[in-house]
Amino acid sequence: MDLPVDEWKSYLLQKWASLPTSVQVTISTAETLRDIFLHSSSLLQPEDELFLKRLSKGYLVGKDSDAPLFYREEGNKKFQEKDYTGAAVLYSKGVSHSRPNTEDMSLCHANRSAALFHLGQYETCLKDINRAQTHGYPERLQPKIMLRKAECLVALGRLQEASQTISDLERNFTATPALADVLPQTLQRNLHRLKMKMQEKDSLTESFPAALAKTLEDAALRE
């Protein structure tokens, strides 16, 4: 779509020519974009806003409803190729083209969380999981994202939070039996594996103080 760029530029040039020389110098010598913006915005008049509204009428631009799915599918291809950085970039583009509180927005965040998990960015992954749920992540897919959340928490050593997340996940199965039917065997195996990993970490944490005490005791006996 052609935009009325030339008309806007012509209007700005007229405005610039009408400014006092001292103001032109102030704006021209500003050191940062922020300073330029602050100086320029203070000069805006009501008639400028009216001109811009009149100029832009009929050029309303909305988000492309097909873009989120396109970028999500392209991101999935990168993900399958194990190009997790490339996948995250494409999912981010999907986010930028999605409307808030829609399934498109939630799915793009959820997919990006998977890419971030494989990149080892667990804290950022957790933030994307939270964003996905905030924007209405589908109930049928909740087990997958809750398991990913638990995996992140375990990787970060936050075992108590991970245990609570797993308990919430299993409680959802009890409250909504239909969820168990959509949970693939792969996820069930991953849930079992994660529980075993948590037990191992927990045992290691519990045994560490005793081992440390024994080491200190041996060292004291050698002195």
Side-chain angles (χ1 to χ4, degrees):
M1 178 186 295
D2 293 331
L3 296 176
V5 176
D6 291 337
E7 296 93 325
W8 181 241
K9 285 172 63 176
S10 176
Y11 182 81
L12 288 179
L13 287 173
Q14 293 177 26
K15 287 282 295 185
W16 178 260
S18 67
L19 293 176
T21 303
S22 58
V23 176
Q24 291 181 350
V25 171
T26 299
I27 295 175
S28 301
T29 57
E31 294 184 354
T32 67
L33 184 60
R34 180 177 181 276
D35 291 336
I36 295 174
F37 174 79
L38 290 175
H39 288 312
S40 301
S41 60
S42 66
L43 300 171
L44 289 174
Q45 300 296 320
E47 59 266 25
D48 301 327
E49 184 179 353
L50 289 174
F51 177 82
L52 185 58
K53 284 183 177 180
R54 186 169 63 253
L55 190 63
S56 60
K57 189 176 181 180
Y59 290 91
L60 299 178
V61 179
K63 291 181 181 292
D64 183 353
S65 59
D66 296 327
L69 177 59
F70 170 78
Y71 285 115
R72 200 164 68 247
E73 289 179 341
E74 291 300 305
N76 291 344
K77 293 176 185 176
K78 293 288 185 182
F79 192 93
Q80 292 297 324
E81 297 168 1
K82 300 187 186 304
D83 179 4
Y84 301 119
T85 299
V89 169
L90 287 164
Y91 294 143
S92 295
K93 289 184 178 181
V95 167
S96 69
H97 284 277
S98 299
R99 294 183 181 278
N101 302 314
T102 60
E103 185 168 300
D104 278 332
M105 178 71 85
S106 69
L107 291 175
C108 287
H109 276 303
N111 286 17
R112 189 171 67 181
S113 76
L116 292 169
F117 178 82
H118 283 281
L119 290 169
Q121 298 185 29
Y122 303 120
E123 290 286 4
T124 311
C125 175
L126 287 173
K127 291 178 181 178
D128 255 357
I129 289 172
N130 182 60
R131 293 184 185 110
Q133 293 177 320
T134 298
H135 287 282
Y137 192 64
E139 187 69 24
R140 69 184 185 278
L141 300 175
Q142 285 293 335
K144 182 191 298 186
I145 204 168
M146 290 180 72
L147 181 60
R148 186 176 304 139
K149 178 179 179 179
E151 289 180 316
C152 278
L153 292 168
V154 170
L156 291 168
R158 292 154 61 177
L159 301 184
Q160 187 172 354
E161 293 175 69
S163 179
Q164 182 61 54
T165 300
I166 290 175
S167 297
D168 292 342
L169 175 56
E170 293 178 326
R171 188 162 50 250
N172 282 351
F173 290 155
T174 304
T176 314
L179 282 179
D181 297 332
V182 299
L183 185 65
Q185 289 186 355
T186 304
L187 284 181
Q188 293 185 30
R189 288 197 297 269
N190 286 341
L191 180 58
H192 177 72
R193 174 187 55 76
L194 186 59
K195 284 182 175 180
M196 297 297 294
K197 186 174 182 179
M198 286 179 61
Q199 290 178 2
E200 291 173 3
K201 283 201 169 190
D202 197 38
S203 298
L204 183 63
T205 302
E206 289 179 355
S207 63
F208 180 73
L212 178 61
K214 181 67 168 60
T215 301
L216 293 174
E217 182 181 351
D218 290 345
L221 289 174
R222 287 196 298 270
E223 290 179 354

